Amino acid sequence: MKISSVMVVLLLVQAMILVSVDAQGTWQIINKNAGIATMHAAVTHFDTVILLDRTNTGATQINLPNGRCRDQPLERVLKKDCTAHSVMLTASSGAVRPLFVFTDTWCSSGQFFDTGMMVQTGGDFEGNKKIRTLAPCAPGGTCDWTELAEPLAAGRWYSSNQLLQSGTRQIIVGGRAAANYEFYPKRKAGEGTFPLALLGGCCDNLYPFVFLLPNGDLFIFTTRDSVALNWGTGKVTRKYPTIPGNPRNYPSAGSAVMLPLSFANGFATAEILVCGGAATGASGSNNVNAPASKSCGRIVATAGAPGWAMEDMPIGRTMGDMLNMPNGEVLIINGAQNGFQGWGKANNPAFNPVSYNPGAGAGKRFTTLAKTGIARMYHSTANLLSDGRVIIAGSNTHQFYTFTGAFPTELRVEAFSPPYLGANFNAVRPTITGAPGALKYNLVFTMTFTVTTRVGGVGVYQNSAPYSTHSYSQGQRSLLLKTTAPVKVGAGYSMQVTAAPNNNIAPPAYYILFCVQNGIPSRGKWVKQNN
């Protein structure tokens, strides 16, 4: 792998604020029965969590309030359904409140707008062209789903959404029988879809991985190939080399992240990490016992002559979720070690999460973490919370809710506390005592914090709140911001932080700011990035 001088700087900066730890993290069940099996999840800026399943499962285990029922003549399983298929969970307590969703959200997609409103698109059957919105509220609120009359231009089942630079428009990419993309809202009346050849073909090309690059183009990956798309002109601006090894998208179900964009290179370097997936041909031959891939590929999408650098994870994994963590690391969690996505198509759960340190040398990047006792297989989710934990929900390997057999429908919700939340590191953990609630581009602002030990190795990360489904977190991004050296002020410290430079780097939205000391993040602070 050829590494530019700019990449060397980035890796050194990341390595400076990371520290190796021996602890493996801890697990906690925060809700023993959320009422639904979670297929989609997103954390709101109120620290509540939107959980969604499909609607054609029959009755769930949580009733709609006040005797309300869903009377849906197009429903193929239960036309009068008085149970909820979506809930709002309070992260601090695990309490849930039922939400009302009318059309089928099976294998749909979503993303937040800059206002914090969730836009949720597509699904199956009567939900195939639907657009739904939810303006989130604080715990105790009454916010709920709204179904819009305006349809999508094409049916979207297994598609991916990406927030664009305005913060008020999303691109919706691909889906079953949809080798194209469209926008919501439309850029002009009557606008339809736009073809993209990359999305064609028969297999392993659903839920494409989509990332907004620093130059404003979109990196779009499906199966084993990827392109950069200028979404404004509709032109493919470059084609990337094919990643070695197995296919990576649904139903093979690898996962992907864009590694943190960093001030150290002017936020100009974007590097994509793609890991895991089913063995080549497993889904086509229905080989539920095929060993999942250990393979990870890493490519600098902004390089002049990019190529994939390959290495192996310690655990083969399909259906894993990959998360940008508050300290620049990547967490790989959930999934199975054999098979592929689908009802009853996988086994041998991957109980142990793995962390990936992008700033470490080859062969030293992976650490195996503490295992859970709950299988998180098909239809599981993972989302970062502002307190630094990861909330894990879902797993239903059956067409309906089935509570027998090897992998029963899973209604429990867990929180994983990474090693940085261990008791041994509390003295190193900073506490943010001051930062603005809203940011403008290039704003230099003051962050104050306290820490009980001598300060050192401090950095600030800004992480988005993505939409997690089917092993891919749509809209996920992380930024390492420029900071000055902290200075002692009273009982704490103060430093100057420079916000992201433009909306290619940080589209307007709600983000979580973390102050990180020697790899240990503070509790995050929600901030609104404005245009």
Side-chain angles (χ1 to χ4, degrees), residues 309-352:
M310 308 302 295
E311 62 183 313
D312 282 349
M313 301 181 286
I315 301 170
R317 193 181 305 256
T318 180
M319 297 184 289
D321 291 280
M322 293 172 64
L323 300 181
N324 289 122
M325 299 302 284
N327 59 0
E329 293 188 349
V330 175
L331 183 70
I332 309 171
I333 198 166
N334 295 340
Q337 299 181 66
N338 295 83
F340 56 98
Q341 277 185 327
W343 291 321
K345 302 299 185 182
N347 58 79
N348 192 10
F351 289 118
N352 290 88

Side-chain angles (χ1 to χ4, degrees), residues 394-458:
S395 188
N396 189 7
T397 65
H398 311 280
Q399 183 175 3
F400 304 111
Y401 281 22
T402 304
F403 300 102
T404 58
F407 305 115
T409 300
E410 186 56 67
L411 305 182
R412 289 173 290 181
V413 179
E414 290 177 289
F416 175 63
S417 295
Y420 57 58
L421 294 179
N424 293 338
F425 305 101
N426 284 341
V428 184
R429 192 178 196 197
T431 299
I432 297 174
T433 55
L439 303 179
K440 293 184 177 180
Y441 297 119
N442 290 309
L443 173 70
V444 178
F445 63 91
T446 299
M447 175 179 284
T448 58
F449 64 96
T450 58
V451 66
T452 57
T453 60
R454 184 170 63 87
V455 72
V458 177

Side-chain angles (χ1 to χ4, degrees), residues 51-85:
L51 306 181
L52 264 169
D53 196 11
R54 45 189 247 269
T55 61
N56 61 0
T57 59
T60 68
Q61 293 200 347
I62 184 169
N63 289 327
L64 290 165
N66 304 317
R68 189 179 187 185
C69 296
R70 172 175 168 266
D71 292 297
Q72 171 55 281
L74 296 177
E75 174 58 56
R76 291 175 289 182
V77 176
L78 188 61
K79 297 184 186 299
K80 184 179 182 66
D81 187 354
C82 302
T83 62
H85 295 267

